[in-house]
Amino acid sequence: IYRNRIVSISLLAAFATGFGIFGAIIFIPLFFQGVLGASATSSGSFLTPMMLGMMFGAIVSGQALSRLGGHYRTQGLVGLAIVMVGMLLLSRMTEETTFGRAVVNLVVIGFGTGTTFPTFTIAVQNAVPHSLLGAATAATQFYRSIGGALGLAILGSLMAGRFASGLAESLSPAVKDALPAEMLAGLSNNPQALVNPDALTSLQATLGQAGPQGVELAEQLLLALRSSLALAIGDIFLVSLVAAAGAFAVTMFLKELPLRT
């Protein structure tokens, strides 16, 4: 099946879309909870609009494939273009972004994802003989999943490094002096204070020992944590945008065959 050009291009595009989309989606609840201040329960529920957009996009994509001549290459390009727009919108979110705007951005990327994923599966299934249908379909899902796993590992490392450097730049000297070195190092490696109430209470208690300015120092620290995390996650979405653009470029070489009945 790898010698079939349609299959190989579709698998490469599925890998790239999995890398960008699944690798980035995992950080969306962290953005809602750590940057926008949502609770742990509600931050996960904000993925629901994206899933609904994905479902609606898959329905529209399937109907368009069956009714408009089966132009899976065109639909793949359109879906990936919508995904890239969604990634760009997500990358521009900051700690001042409203929940409504963030949800709209998620719906956009969900619709693009739903439009894109079925097209590569259909392209692969239409390009191989019936005896290889199961293997080819499984390969599509496998490469998409591997892309997502690799994307999560790489993007997670990039986010951690970007967060640490951003926090070091944004913290004021007064906050750095008020925090123990080991606590400051722990914050740089893992922003637990933004998602863990116990860690947040411990930070506030530590800074409270700095005197009357302790409350102000705590506010400065939380602001620096949120802004650094927002910038780090924004960079993740930009990298995912590049991956989606790579999938778009690969899809341009995908050959369309008439759909089998």
Side-chain angles (χ1 to χ4, degrees):
I1 64 174
Y2 293 107
R3 288 195 295 266
N4 187 312
R5 184 177 179 182
I6 294 177
V7 174
S8 59
I9 290 178
S10 297
L11 294 182
L12 184 58
F15 176 86
T17 54
F19 183 101
I21 296 173
F22 290 141
I25 284 176
I26 200 68
F27 297 104
I28 291 176
L30 177 61
F31 182 89
F32 276 100
Q33 189 177 355
V35 178
L36 300 185
S39 65
T41 303
S42 62
S43 64
S45 67
F46 279 112
L47 289 175
T48 302
M50 185 188 67
M51 296 303 175
L52 293 176
M54 191 181 300
M55 181 182 68
F56 183 71
I59 293 173
V60 171
S61 177
Q63 291 297 315
L65 278 172
S66 63
R67 296 174 184 271
L68 301 179
H71 299 293
Y72 49 78
R73 174 179 172 273
T74 301
Q75 288 188 212
L77 292 174
V78 171
L80 286 170
I82 298 174
V83 168
M84 288 190 288
V85 171
M87 288 293 183
L88 180 62
L89 293 174
L90 289 174
S91 69
R92 297 172 64 88
M93 294 194 305
T94 66
E95 64 274 15
E96 298 178 357
T97 301
T98 62
F99 286 103
R101 180 181 175 185
V103 168
V104 170
N105 296 343
L106 292 181
V107 171
V108 172
I109 194 172
F111 181 82
T113 302
T115 304
T116 301
F117 279 176
T119 58
F120 297 118
T121 303
I122 292 295
V124 168
Q125 292 175 338
N126 190 59
V128 299
H130 285 285
S131 60
L132 296 176
L133 198 60
T137 304
T140 307
Q141 303 301 325
F142 173 76
Y143 277 88
R144 185 176 294 143
S145 299
I146 291 297
L150 185 63
L152 176 60
I154 294 177
L155 296 178
S157 298
L158 290 175
M159 189 207 70
R162 184 68 180 88
F163 173 79
S165 61
L167 185 62
E169 295 173 359
S170 58
L171 281 180
S172 64
V175 174
K176 293 180 181 179
D177 293 338
L179 286 176
E182 60 275 8
M183 182 175 290
L184 187 59
L187 284 176
S188 299
N189 294 328
N190 191 9
Q192 284 295 324
L194 293 174
V195 297
N196 189 331
D198 295 334
L200 179 59
T201 302
S202 176
L203 276 176
Q204 291 174 333
T206 301
L207 290 174
Q209 299 174 1
Q213 72 274 20
V215 175
E216 181 181 353
L217 292 177
E219 292 178 354
Q220 292 178 7
L221 174 61
L222 290 178
L223 181 61
L225 286 170
R226 287 196 174 99
S227 61
S228 300
L229 184 60
L231 288 173
I233 296 179
D235 288 347
I236 293 305
F237 291 135
L238 285 177
V239 176
S240 300
L241 172 61
V242 174
F248 184 92
V250 169
T251 305
M252 293 182 67
F253 297 95
L254 184 63
K255 181 181 178 181
E256 286 187 353
L257 295 178
L259 294 184
R260 292 196 295 248
T261 58

